């Protein structure tokens, strides 16, 4: 991990902690006036994107199941491959309880991450991992709904190539499509298993 990614992971952690704190404060708290009556911050919502089989899907297709959502891009050197590996291993460890969870990787680089590229990429981690892409504006709207920070950073040596700084949080969404818990990026499988176990209804 380089400095930027460590900083981002830490920013993600702080955001996660902030969400946890807000959630604990209960129904009277507000975040930009958007907190729902449940006290949960407004994260997530409707999306319409293309999955790794080329099919258009919306958030409604996943209602009735939990979604474990992670944002990134396939050319990511560190945060994404590590996060997706940990996510896949954690779901394997959860066993039967993971049957109801759809792990979803949403690209922040739709210009390069075609459905075909997403298909090859997600397959390398887990057969159950879903990869979603879309137009620039569809991705921007989805990232905004999930309050994901991302920023293209041009490569000084090669102006045609770039990396993308992005926040790193696993969003566990409930069967109703609403946020159950934001979970900070971790490289520790057991830690993610424990976080999921805590957040999932018993
Ligand atoms: Cu990444």
């Amino acid at each position: 991990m380089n400095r930027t990614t460590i900083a981002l992971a830490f920013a993600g952690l702080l955001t996660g902690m902030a969400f946890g704190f807000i959630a604990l404060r209960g129904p009277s708290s507000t975040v930009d006036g958007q907190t729902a009556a449940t006290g949960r911050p407004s994260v997530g919502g409707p999306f319409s994107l293309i999955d790794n089989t080329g099919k258009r899907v919306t958030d409604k297709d996943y209602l009735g199941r939990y979604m474990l959502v992670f944002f990134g891009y396939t050319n990511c050197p560190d945060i994404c491959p590590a996060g997706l590996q940990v996510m896949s291993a954690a779901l394997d460890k959860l066993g039967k309880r993971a049957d109801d969870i759809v792990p979803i990787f949403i690209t922040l680089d739709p210009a390069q991450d075609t459905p075909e590229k997403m298909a090859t990429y997600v397959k390398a981690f887990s057969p159950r991992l879903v990869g979603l892409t879309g137009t620039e504006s569809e991705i921007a709207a989805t990232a905004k709904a999930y309050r994901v920070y991302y920023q293209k950073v041009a490569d000084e040596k090669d102006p045609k190539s770039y990396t993308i700084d992005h926040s790193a949080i696993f969003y566990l969404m409930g069967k109703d499509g609403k946020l159950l818990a934001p979970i900070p990026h971790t490289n520790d499988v057991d830690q993610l298993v424990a976080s999921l176990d805590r957040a999932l209804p018993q």
Side-chain angles (χ1 to χ4, degrees):
M1 298 231 290
N2 60 32
R3 271 183 164 184
T4 314
T5 54
I6 289 166
L8 281 170
F10 188 62
L13 181 71
L14 288 180
T15 312
M17 283 164 52
F19 282 150
F21 176 67
I22 289 157
L24 283 176
R25 284 176 62 200
S28 62
S29 66
T30 56
V31 185
D32 306 327
Q34 284 189 56
T35 301
T38 57
R40 288 186 290 185
S42 140
V43 170
F47 61 76
S48 176
L49 298 168
I50 306 288
D51 76 6
N52 50 287
T53 68
K55 195 178 76 179
R56 182 156 290 274
V57 293
T58 74
D59 52 299
K60 297 201 173 54
D61 291 309
Y62 302 103
L63 287 178
R65 301 182 73 190
Y66 301 102
M67 294 189 290
L68 186 58
V69 184
F70 189 72
F71 287 80
Y73 65 113
T74 66
N75 285 335
C76 181
D78 38 37
I79 288 273
C80 292
L84 293 174
Q85 204 172 349
V86 168
M87 187 159 128
S88 304
L91 292 179
D92 287 345
K93 263 202 164 176
L94 267 180
K96 275 227 142 299
R97 292 188 75 194
D99 289 351
D100 256 2
I101 305 174
V102 190
I104 300 178
F105 180 55
I106 301 180
T107 186
L108 295 169
D109 188 15
Q112 298 205 54
D113 289 341
T114 60
E116 296 75 26
K117 199 167 176 196
M118 292 296 276
T120 313
Y121 190 73
V122 296
K123 232 177 273 166
F125 293 97
S126 166
R128 54 178 140 193
L129 183 59
V130 173
L132 300 183
T133 186
T135 63
E136 292 281 351
S137 65
E138 285 164 350
I139 289 297
T142 309
K144 191 173 178 215
Y146 278 81
R147 301 184 179 208
V148 169
Y149 158 83
Y150 67 114
Q151 179 78 52
K152 262 188 199 180
V153 182
D155 185 337
E156 283 165 15
K157 291 178 201 120
D158 176 7
K160 265 179 267 156
S161 82
Y162 55 86
T163 55
I164 297 176
D165 282 353
H166 64 91
S167 48
I169 297 175
F170 303 103
Y171 298 94
L172 181 65
M173 311 303 286
K175 290 184 173 182
D176 57 359
K178 297 208 173 92
L179 181 72
L180 273 180
I183 303 170
H185 181 283
T186 173
N187 289 324
D188 182 333
V189 177
D190 288 327
Q191 199 181 317
L192 181 55
V193 170
S195 299
L196 289 169
D197 187 53
R198 258 198 310 274
L200 286 165
Q202 296 304 309

